[in-house]
Amino acid sequence: MSAVTLKTTGAKMPLTGFGAWKVSKETCADTIYNAIKSGYRLIDGAQDYANEKECGEGVRRAIKEGIIKREDIFITSKLWNTFHAKEHVEPMLKKTLEDWGLEYIDLFLIHFPLAQKYVDPSVRYPPTNVNDVEKGVAEYQNTPISETWAALEACVDKGLTKHIGISNFNAGLIRDLLTYARIRPSVLQIEHHPYLTQPKLIDFVKSQGIAITAYSTFGPQSFIEMDHPAVKNQPLVLEHDVVTGIAKKHGKTPGQVVLRWATQRGINVIPKSNNQSRLEQNLQNESFDLTEDEIKQISNLNINLRFNDPADWNPSVPIF
């Protein structure tokens, strides 16, 4: 399997991984185990996904059965918004390690560049994007990213995580972070699909030696079950004539084509599927190459359509 070399350490991060977002607790342990058994060597999780214990069960079962060793698999998790204060970062990373049942995480990301009011895990965990359940309103606090980043760097020093990174950051915030970072971010994770290509951000991030992970690579497909209003206004990426036409030409699935559109450009992807056949098909996206013209055709589908946007939260928090 192809891999991305992380500039900060020289470590290899698999180009195609498995994303745990929206994998139910009931099926998660088996799904992660089956993904590993099928060949996946990167699992992307987060505190907010509410299934890290189950993810850990799947990973540890695969290790126990000798399918993999710990060093064979790359585990990503993310620090939620309510834990940005310096005194909370390390304890919450240790909480993540406890949930996974692991001694270290390979990559720990700041999930959003937003600091919300702290809620003790004994009160509510896993966290959510609201601090007041009854009012349904998020409360924010003035914790600078520099404070959170310094605490994450200390976690690297202690061996709790091998790498640190960022998610949902814009170029301005990344430029600012690079002025004070003692340990540079290894990875930026962003929403990236044919309807939201973000070429200028990607070019800048690559120029800084930061790897890119794309989430929601299938675009609206990831948000159908969430009844996102924008899904109704555009054809599904996997049903678009451009994508289906290219898929037919190569004898591949539309999903494989869209994933290859990303991976062929060196962008790491983390698709999720509960279907074993599609799970295996997604992993095989590197078995063929698109032409430069085909990549351009897919990129030209861009309409700057973002689905995961804090501007839609309550209250609205525009960050892009």
Side-chain angles (χ1 to χ4, degrees):
M1 184 187 299
S2 300
V4 175
T5 300
L6 301 181
K7 301 296 184 182
T8 49
T9 65
K12 304 290 186 180
M13 179 176 71
L15 196 55
T16 301
F18 186 87
W21 181 43
K22 297 189 301 178
V23 178
S24 69
K25 284 187 176 183
E26 293 74 21
T27 63
C28 187
D30 288 339
T31 298
I32 296 300
Y33 170 80
N34 288 330
I36 294 171
K37 197 171 182 180
S38 298
Y40 284 87
R41 294 298 180 264
L42 184 157
I43 306 298
D44 181 271
Q47 294 173 340
D48 191 52
Y49 297 170
N51 58 12
E52 291 202 296
K53 284 186 177 180
E54 291 75 17
C55 284
E57 289 175 17
V59 170
R60 294 195 308 276
R61 189 194 312 171
I63 293 173
K64 183 178 180 180
E65 292 185 9
I67 298 172
I68 54 168
K69 298 177 181 178
R70 171 62 185 95
E71 58 267 28
D72 296 332
I73 191 153
F74 193 103
I75 305 294
T76 298
S77 185
K78 306 176 189 76
L79 179 76
W80 187 241
N81 308 338
T82 46
F83 308 126
H84 277 210
K86 59 185 177 182
E87 64 269 23
H88 299 143
V89 173
E90 182 178 329
M92 293 315 302
L93 175 48
K94 288 181 176 178
K95 168 65 174 168
T96 286
L97 293 174
E98 178 185 342
D99 285 348
W100 282 86
L102 300 173
E103 294 182 354
Y104 66 90
I105 292 291
D106 294 278
L107 174 65
F108 201 51
L109 306 175
I110 298 177
H111 206 148
F112 282 92
L114 296 167
Q116 292 178 268
K117 183 179 178 182
Y118 175 68
V119 176
D120 191 283
S122 65
V123 176
R124 182 169 66 253
Y125 195 88
T128 66
N129 68 340
V130 292
N131 297 118
D132 189 323
V133 176
E134 292 182 359
K135 294 181 181 179
V137 176
E139 297 180 59
Y140 293 85
Q141 63 185 30
N142 294 324
T143 303
I145 294 169
S146 57
E147 176 181 318
T148 308
W149 193 255
L152 287 170
E153 290 173 327
C155 290
V156 175
D157 295 338
K158 294 179 180 180
L160 301 176
T161 181
K162 301 287 187 182
H163 307 86
I164 50 178
I166 49 182
S167 179
N168 300 302
F169 274 53
N170 62 35
L173 287 175
I174 298 170
R175 284 183 178 275
D176 184 65
L177 188 155
L178 292 176
T179 65
Y180 56 76
R182 174 171 60 86
I183 300 175
R184 292 169 67 89
S186 295
V187 174
L188 167 69
Q189 187 170 131
I190 56 171
E191 180 179 343
H192 178 66
H193 47 75
Y195 289 163
L196 182 69
T197 56
Q198 308 196 72
K200 292 181 179 179
L201 174 63
I202 288 173
D203 287 346
F204 167 68
V205 170
K206 284 185 174 182
S207 76
Q208 298 302 309
I210 301 170
I212 298 169
T213 295
Y215 70 78
S216 298
T217 316
F218 299 144
Q221 196 79 30
S222 303
F223 296 87
I224 294 174
E225 62 201 70
M226 301 172 70
D227 200 28
H228 196 292
V231 173
K232 303 173 184 177
N233 300 326
Q234 298 294 332
L236 296 178
V237 166
L238 299 185
E239 296 177 1
H240 197 287
D241 291 345
V242 169
V243 174
T244 58
I246 293 172
K248 185 176 180 180
K249 176 182 174 182
H250 287 273
K252 301 295 181 180
T253 68
Q256 288 174 317
V257 166
V258 174
L259 292 173
R260 189 59 180 145
W261 165 76
T263 60
Q264 196 168 322
R265 293 178 293 128
I267 296 174
N268 161 257
V269 294
I270 44 173
K272 158 240 168 184
S273 178
N274 290 319
N275 179 282
Q276 183 64 28
S277 176
R278 285 196 297 271
L279 184 149
E280 294 173 0
Q281 289 172 355
N282 289 342
L283 189 61
Q284 295 163 4
N285 78 83
E286 300 171 42
S287 64
F288 69 106
D289 287 331
L290 300 171
T291 66
E292 289 186 13
D293 182 63
E294 289 168 339
I295 290 175
K296 185 177 180 180
Q297 287 181 53
I298 297 171
S299 296
N300 284 342
L301 298 179
N302 178 55
I303 51 175
N304 297 317
L305 179 59
R306 187 182 301 277
F307 291 94
N308 190 16
D309 193 346
D312 298 328
W313 294 1
N314 182 15
S316 176
V317 191
I319 62 173
F320 298 115

